[in-house]
Amino acid sequence: MILLAFRPLEPLRFGLRNLGGVDVFGVDEVAYIPPPTAVLGALGALLGVSIDCTWHDKYDFSDLKSLVKKVANVDLTLATRSNEPVLWGPLLSIREGHHLPVGEYALPVSLAREYVEKAVGYYEGEEDAVERAAKLLCRVAATSERIGVQLGVGKTVRHMYRAKYVRYVDDVEILFWARLARKLDRAVVRLGGEGRLAAVEAKEAGAPPAESQRGEYAVALQPVLIYSDKPVARVEEVLGLECVEEVYGVFEGDVFKVRVVDFGLGFSEVCRRRRPTLKALPQGTVLRLKSTCRDVAAIGILSEIGFGSLYKV
């Protein structure tokens, strides 16, 4: 595998919903780290690949299948677990130390087990679990908002919109372990939406850190994409969670909360169409894995490309 190091050159945008007009003017949500679709899109543009844009009314993942085949020479089967995803990560490199992303926070890898213990302890009634977990984390990202104008034919104003951007408050490198079919040179790429830029450098590397691939518990480094046709469902009834025994939630300041969020798969600039929005357990969620799934590196829908990447403890 190749280690990809992305260094943001300006605030980045990884939007989770469409930018709309007055009906959603005050509502915008972003991811704090690049999702696999954004990273693969940047790599595809850098490598100059062309992809299949034949989907019509119903999205069929054809663009992602074509992109993954040409970037990594991997056939995407839409399995809900993967031992060798195309992308694994990210970890954050801050002052030469590796950290796990937990929303806008970073968790040193050396404290990952303690973070998991606090999440489990919170649900077992440990009184100071959240306070002690908070002391393990440091804030590394913040959002800012900008007002924009979308222009129509003849440069007429169609509508105004408000968009959020993620600014990293420290000198951060975003690290992914990738299976690529071709070598990359150091370059500047568009990463995410609104034409935001990041520098990327490819470094030779082996598999993801060995200590991240052992253990009964795990922290999700990427959102775990899921599907259920029921408003309320047990874990074993949810597509994408076949390997999960228990969900302990994600740190939210004063609680560990089990959340399900909407997660958009992004806008395909090549196909000029927006991919659908799926449900997801947010990045940073603590999980307990089934004994039959201890070898998995990523779980959930599109785990083959790196969604649901796991750091195990």
Side-chain angles (χ1 to χ4, degrees), residues 39-89:
V39 175
L40 286 171
L43 296 176
L46 183 59
L47 294 171
V49 304
S50 58
I51 64 172
D52 181 3
C53 294
T54 57
W55 92 80
H56 300 290
D57 294 332
K58 185 177 180 181
Y59 183 66
D60 61 3
F61 298 98
S62 58
D63 64 320
L64 287 178
K65 291 179 180 179
S66 176
L67 179 60
V68 170
K69 181 64 175 178
K70 293 184 178 181
V71 169
N73 196 26
V74 171
D75 293 314
L76 191 61
T77 65
L78 302 182
T80 56
R81 56 183 286 183
S82 176
N83 293 359
E84 294 183 324
V86 172
L87 296 170
W88 182 89

Side-chain angles (χ1 to χ4, degrees), residues 13 17-29 145-150 157-164:
R13 173 174 169 77
R17 61 175 71 233
N18 290 334
L19 290 175
V22 294
D23 53 333
V24 293
F25 185 80
V27 181
D28 188 26
E29 296 182 19
E145 294 184 332
R146 298 182 185 179
I147 305 299
V149 176
Q150 187 176 66
V157 176
R158 293 183 59 187
H159 61 247
M160 297 179 65
Y161 61 87
R162 179 161 61 186
K164 285 185 178 179

Side-chain angles (χ1 to χ4, degrees), residues 3 7 17 21 26 29 48 68 90 98 107 127 134 166 170 182 185 193 211 267 271-273 282 284 300:
L3 177 62
R7 186 180 295 276
R17 61 175 71 233
E29 296 182 19
V68 170
H98 286 175
L107 171 72
E127 293 184 0
V166 176
D170 211 329
R182 293 160 54 186
D185 296 323
E211 67 273 12
F267 182 80
C271 299
R272 306 305 301 169
R273 297 182 67 179

Side-chain angles (χ1 to χ4, degrees), residues 82-310:
S82 176
N83 293 359
E84 294 183 324
V86 172
L87 296 170
W88 182 89
L91 296 182
L92 305 179
S93 178
I94 305 172
R95 295 187 292 275
E96 299 184 355
H98 286 175
H99 295 67
L100 280 66
V102 181
E104 67 265 45
Y105 302 99
L107 171 72
V109 295
S110 60
L111 300 178
R113 178 174 295 279
E114 189 173 352
Y115 172 79
V116 168
E117 289 173 351
K118 299 313 170 196
V120 176
Y122 176 80
Y123 279 94
E124 292 178 348
E126 187 177 325
E127 293 184 0
D128 61 346
V130 174
E131 291 79 2
R132 294 175 67 181
K135 296 178 180 178
L136 306 176
L137 303 168
C138 60
R139 188 182 296 272
V140 294
T143 59
S144 59
E145 294 184 332
R146 298 182 185 179
I147 305 299
V149 176
Q150 187 176 66
L151 300 178
V153 178
K155 296 185 178 179
T156 56
V157 176
R158 293 183 59 187
H159 61 247
M160 297 179 65
Y161 61 87
R162 179 161 61 186
K164 285 185 178 179
Y165 297 82
V166 176
R167 176 179 59 86
Y168 298 94
V169 299
D170 211 329
D171 187 18
V172 172
E173 278 192 328
I174 306 170
L175 307 178
F176 287 90
W177 280 256
R179 298 166 61 192
L180 301 180
R182 293 160 54 186
K183 291 186 177 181
L184 294 177
D185 296 323
R186 179 183 296 183
V188 173
V189 296
R190 295 175 61 182
L191 184 61
E194 301 295 296
R196 304 281 97 183
L197 298 176
V200 60
E201 181 179 1
K203 306 175 182 178
E204 293 296 332
E211 67 273 12
S212 70
Q213 300 302 300
R214 296 189 295 265
E216 177 184 3
Y217 294 87
V219 180
L221 300 176
Q222 290 280 0
V224 180
L225 301 180
I226 59 176
Y227 174 79
S228 175
D229 58 1
K230 301 178 181 179
V232 179
R234 295 191 298 269
V235 169
E236 61 269 19
E237 298 173 328
V238 178
L239 179 69
L241 298 183
E242 294 87 349
C243 281
V244 176
E245 191 74 51
E246 189 67 74
V247 180
Y248 294 99
V250 61
F251 176 81
E252 292 214 331
D254 56 353
V255 294
F256 276 95
K257 186 175 183 180
V258 178
R259 294 183 61 210
V260 175
V261 299
D262 292 327
F263 195 93
L265 296 180
F267 182 80
S268 172
E269 294 198 12
V270 174
C271 299
R272 306 305 301 169
R273 297 182 67 179
R274 182 165 291 279
R275 303 185 187 101
T277 296
L278 300 179
K279 297 296 184 182
L281 299 179
Q283 168 258 339
T285 296
V286 175
L287 310 162
R288 180 158 59 92
L289 301 175
K290 294 180 178 178
S291 59
T292 54
C293 294
R294 299 291 167 78
D295 293 334
V296 297
I299 61 171
I301 299 169
L302 294 178
S303 55
E304 292 167 293
I305 67 172
F307 278 105
S309 290
L310 301 176

